[in-house]
Amino acid sequence: MTAIINISLKNGVLDSQGKAVHHALGSLHFDNVEDVRVGRQIVMKLNSKDTASAKEEVTNMCEELLANTVIEDYEIEIIA
Amino acid sequence: MKVGIVQFPGTNCEYDTQYAFEKLGASTQILWHRETEIPDDIELVVIAGGFSYGDYLRSGAIASKAPIMKAVKAHAEAGKKVLGICNGFQVLTETHLLPGALKRNEHLHFISKHHHLKVVSNSNDFLSKFEKGDVVNIPIAHHDGNFFIDDEGLKEMYANEQVLLHYCDQNGEISNPNGSVDSIAGICNKEKNVFGLMPHPERAMEEVLGSADGVKMLEGLM
């Protein structure tokens, strides 16, 4: 089982990296870009028995270590 | 007075911190990150600057789960003093011993230079030797010093006099190097026994280093 975790800064928390990338794209004349958010992706292989238990386990990992919930949101995708 | 200085793999300011406190007359002990207890005779625990565990996940995140941090929490909860400098400040927010979080500097640069700070609150041991509004010159050296807290949390921190230091220029006018909310450089917890700041007072202990303003700061904790 594979878990894909996407972690990004919460809406309303200024994303300086996203802003810098947005600016750089603009200077390359990619003028169609409205907003850029830069996050972190963590991919892990798990020995879970089903997707529900995998999701629960990964949620705990996010809450305890992988994300800083003061400033970050996370999304979890489990692929069987 | 005995000071314990926490050392993670990647800590690089432990010996400067040791020098600073011994210069002030304290005895010191370096505490390895795998230790599970803080010796009873240690009154102040300092989490020194550096890049704990390489800061690979987020600054201070992995360190906040190290065995010694349970002991540091217990030390703090017993009302004893804890000081986190730079990476130590990041570790203390990740441990939730201090509120808020530290993000990448707004302009994404690593900043290493002398900077001025203004004393916002002196109703605590750390800044008790200063007057409100005093301006000190203390070096900063960080990539993730952009302090963030939501509006409600910020209000609460001011109400409890938890905001300790603002970044400013030499005249005391606000000058924000990293995008921190309200130009905040240092804070404490509600109980005023856990302190965290991004600047390095241990690097400002002698005039020959460019400033000795760190002396008065660290003395407050002794």
Side-chain angles (χ1 to χ4, degrees), chain A residues 14 40 64-66 68, chain B residues 57-58 65 94 103 106:
Chain A
L14 179 72
R40 182 190 311 120
E64 276 187 43
L65 177 68
L66 302 180
N68 179 344
Chain B
L57 182 64
R58 285 182 313 278
K65 310 297 172 193
E94 285 284 343
K103 296 196 303 161
E106 193 171 33

Side-chain angles (χ1 to χ4, degrees), chain B residues 1-5 21 26-29 42-46 222:
Chain B
M1 161 140 184
K2 192 161 176 193
V3 180
I5 301 160
F21 279 99
S27 64
T28 60
Q29 183 178 345
I42 287 179
E43 291 167 61
L44 166 68
V45 171
V46 183
M222 303 271 297

Side-chain angles (χ1 to χ4, degrees), chain A residues 63-64 67-71, chain B residues 47 58-65 69 72-73 82-103 144-149 157 162 184-189 194-198:
Chain A
E63 291 287 328
E64 276 187 43
N68 179 344
T69 54
V70 176
I71 48 172
Chain B
I47 307 180
R58 285 182 313 278
S59 297
I62 300 176
S64 73
K65 310 297 172 193
M69 289 311 297
V72 172
K73 263 189 186 169
V82 179
L83 168 67
I85 301 170
C86 200
N87 193 227
F89 183 15
Q90 294 158 345
V91 174
L92 290 175
T93 58
E94 285 284 343
T95 321
H96 304 301
L97 281 170
L98 288 174
L102 290 143
K103 296 196 303 161
D144 298 298
N146 183 349
F147 180 73
F148 178 85
I149 190 160
M157 283 179 64
Q162 287 174 259
I184 289 173
I187 64 170
C188 66
N189 64 344
V194 180
F195 305 91
L197 77 167
M198 287 312 297

Side-chain angles (χ1 to χ4, degrees), chain B residues 26-220:
Chain B
S27 64
T28 60
Q29 183 178 345
I30 301 280
L31 305 168
W32 184 233
H33 64 123
R34 290 222 177 96
E35 301 283 340
T36 52
E37 274 176 32
I38 309 281
D40 272 348
D41 57 343
I42 287 179
E43 291 167 61
L44 166 68
V45 171
V46 183
I47 307 180
F51 299 87
S52 52
Y53 299 90
D55 278 344
Y56 287 125
L57 182 64
R58 285 182 313 278
S59 297
I62 300 176
S64 73
K65 310 297 172 193
I68 195 151
M69 289 311 297
K70 268 194 188 156
V72 172
K73 263 189 186 169
H75 180 89
E77 279 158 13
K80 295 182 190 169
K81 283 178 268 191
V82 179
L83 168 67
I85 301 170
C86 200
N87 193 227
F89 183 15
Q90 294 158 345
V91 174
L92 290 175
T93 58
E94 285 284 343
T95 321
H96 304 301
L97 281 170
L98 288 174
L102 290 143
K103 296 196 303 161
R104 188 112 317 166
N105 294 341
E106 193 171 33
H107 299 294
L108 303 173
H109 297 158
F110 187 98
I111 311 168
S112 178
K113 61 177 183 182
H114 274 264
H115 206 289
H116 290 88
L117 308 171
K118 192 157 143 177
V119 175
V120 180
S121 171
N122 59 356
S123 63
N124 59 79
D125 287 343
F126 188 39
L127 301 178
S128 57
K129 292 188 183 287
F130 293 94
E131 298 297 326
K132 279 188 191 178
D134 277 358
V135 173
V136 293
N137 174 18
I138 306 274
I140 55 173
H142 59 245
H143 200 186
D144 298 298
N146 183 349
F147 180 73
F148 178 85
I149 190 160
D150 61 19
D151 292 344
E152 201 180 311
L154 184 66
K155 247 190 234 164
E156 200 179 312
M157 283 179 64
Y158 276 111
N160 296 327
E161 298 204 50
Q162 287 174 259
V163 176
L164 302 185
L165 296 160
H166 283 158
Y167 294 105
C168 67
D169 64 16
Q170 57 187 359
N171 302 316
E173 299 296 325
I174 290 296
S175 164
N176 191 334
N178 57 24
S180 281
V181 164
D182 247 31
S183 203
I184 289 173
I187 64 170
C188 66
N189 64 344
K190 267 187 204 154
E191 293 76 18
K192 298 185 182 170
N193 66 321
V194 180
F195 305 91
L197 77 167
M198 287 312 297
H200 286 269
E202 83 283 10
R203 293 186 190 175
M205 297 299 290
E206 318 238 10
E207 287 300 342
V208 71
L209 298 173
S211 166
D213 289 352
V215 173
K216 218 168 152 185
M217 231 180 225
L218 299 185
E219 254 176 3

